[in-house]
Amino acid sequence: MKLPKLGKGAASENPASNADDGVSRETWDSVNMDTPIGAQAAQAVRIIHGAKGQQLPRPSRQRVFTIANQKGGVGKTTTAVNMAAALALQGLQVLVIDLDPQGNASTALGIEHRPGTASSYEVLIGEITLEEALAQSPHNERLYCVPATIDLAGAEIELVSMVARETRLRNALASLKEHDFDYVFIDCPPSLGLLTINALVAAPEVLIPIQCEYYALEGVGQLLRNIEMVKAHLNPQLEVTTVILTMYDGRTKLADQVAADVREHFGDRVLRTVIPRSVKVSEAPGYGMSILDYDPGSRGAMSYLDASRELAQRDEPTAKEQR
């Protein structure tokens, strides 16, 4: 069941946080216990909050990622939100574009997305500019979002008859000059329709989340074929540069086997960091937070922080060619 969303100033009502930087009550309980588990939790909290004082190197060019996988429930939105939050925590300017009519990325970033809100729908049909749809996350001044409303559900049909229907998001991004974003993450719906095609045309890089479960690679082949089609006809710069393993459960042999299969198929495009299966990560959006705000001492928060650093420090060959 979805947890109630909290507005600004309601942090004290959140059972999973207190006034001290949003650290969960559970985490602080363990921190205050003189036990090995308590010491480990305390160290995790120190690391995650120490990240606020660190600065990741800015990329020499703006990096735009489409986060895509036509299979639902693999962690697309979770990855988009938490990677963005982790990079912003470490001093970078980050934008998340929500292209999923469900608006889950908007919810997780604490951004209003009721009907009537300026959103990615109006941007795609040309009613407003991307800059007019920008909303700042209440959790970090460097983190922005273009929210999605339910109106986006009808955009697939409306775009069919429009001129340059596949390049509307790319054109909108090109006009965004006032904000010097280091990273842009485009969260796609679990389909390969015009919304996802717009995202693939707008970005030179694709990030694919793959869950460490049975049928993990099901549908990825079709996604890769579609990416090749978009590359051939609409966006020659498009490359799958990053794959991230999500929902990893180290207690099972299946997770290790899936991870090995994915690494064998995608090689060094797979991040070394894996994202563990975590109830906390699933709970966080219900409070309008990323896992780094909801429970910064959790394994999920630590993993996304590590993954963001790895992403920032990677210098992909395709990225060099595009500079």
Side-chain angles (χ1 to χ4, degrees):
M1 183 175 70
K2 188 174 181 180
L3 299 170
K5 289 174 62 179
L6 300 174
K8 292 182 180 179
S12 61
E13 299 174 12
N14 183 348
S17 66
N18 60 14
D20 294 317
D21 297 327
V23 180
S24 75
R25 193 169 294 165
E26 177 183 324
T27 298
W28 280 114
D29 286 345
S30 64
V31 168
N32 293 330
M33 292 173 62
D34 188 18
T35 65
I37 294 177
Q40 184 178 4
Q43 177 66 8
V45 172
R46 283 194 294 271
I47 292 172
I48 204 82
H49 285 282
K52 294 180 179 179
Q54 298 178 1
Q55 296 288 317
L56 285 176
R58 295 191 66 187
S60 58
R61 59 173 181 86
Q62 183 183 83
R63 296 187 70 182
V64 184
F65 288 87
T66 287
I67 301 183
N69 191 327
Q70 69 195 66
K71 192 173 185 297
V74 301
K76 287 189 301 296
T77 298
T78 301
T79 296
V81 167
N82 290 304
M83 290 289 271
L87 290 166
L89 184 71
Q90 297 170 93
L92 298 174
Q93 296 284 336
V94 188
L95 170 63
V96 176
I97 300 176
D98 194 348
L99 278 191
D100 189 340
Q102 296 179 86
N104 292 333
S106 308
T107 298
L109 292 173
I111 304 296
E112 182 59 66
H113 59 102
R114 291 178 298 182
T117 304
S119 69
S120 55
Y121 167 75
E122 286 83 8
V123 173
L124 286 174
I125 65 173
E127 287 187 357
I128 62 175
T129 65
L130 195 67
E131 187 166 7
E132 291 175 296
L134 286 180
Q136 188 179 54
S137 172
H139 306 300
N140 193 310
E141 63 182 7
R142 292 181 290 271
L143 181 56
Y144 288 79
C145 177
V146 175
T149 64
I150 193 61
D151 294 333
L152 196 59
E156 295 269 8
I157 298 173
E158 293 184 55
L159 286 171
V160 168
S161 60
M162 290 187 174
V163 176
R165 62 190 181 187
E166 300 94 350
T167 62
R168 300 185 76 84
L169 182 59
R170 181 171 67 185
N171 296 338
L173 262 175
S175 66
L176 188 65
K177 299 177 181 178
E178 293 299 318
H179 295 265
D180 187 18
F181 289 111
D182 299 302
Y183 287 84
V184 177
F185 295 99
I186 307 172
D187 184 36
C188 298
S191 67
L192 294 174
L194 275 172
L195 293 177
T196 299
I197 290 174
N198 261 270
L200 293 173
V201 172
E205 298 188 62
V206 180
L207 189 159
I208 303 177
I210 298 178
Q211 85 279 32
C212 296
E213 295 180 353
Y214 197 58
Y215 293 138
L217 293 173
E218 185 178 290
V220 173
Q222 183 61 49
L223 173 63
L224 295 176
R225 285 190 290 273
N226 278 269
I227 288 171
E228 287 302 315
M229 288 179 62
V230 172
K231 180 178 180 178
H233 300 286
L234 297 166
N235 182 6
Q237 293 183 319
L238 188 64
E239 295 286 349
V240 176
T241 62
T242 310
V243 176
I244 185 168
L245 293 164
T246 64
M247 303 179 190
Y248 177 82
D249 187 345
R251 299 170 298 179
T252 67
K253 291 182 179 179
L254 175 62
D256 288 332
Q257 183 60 54
V258 171
D261 289 347
V262 172
R263 292 187 190 281
E264 181 180 358
H265 184 78
F266 288 101
D268 59 5
R269 289 178 287 181
V270 185
L271 296 181
R272 295 186 303 274
T273 304
V274 297
I275 309 302
R277 179 174 290 281
S278 169
V279 173
K280 291 291 184 182
V281 171
S282 302
E283 287 178 353
Y287 289 99
M289 298 180 184
S290 70
I291 185 59
L292 288 98
D293 297 300
Y294 179 69
D295 193 352
S298 66
R299 290 173 62 234
M302 298 294 293
S303 296
Y304 273 113
L305 187 67
D306 289 341
S308 71
R309 288 171 175 164
E310 190 177 347
L311 184 74
Q313 292 165 0
R314 281 188 167 205
D315 197 6
E316 296 291 347
T318 52
K320 290 179 181 178
E321 292 168 6
Q322 294 162 12
R323 290 174 185 171

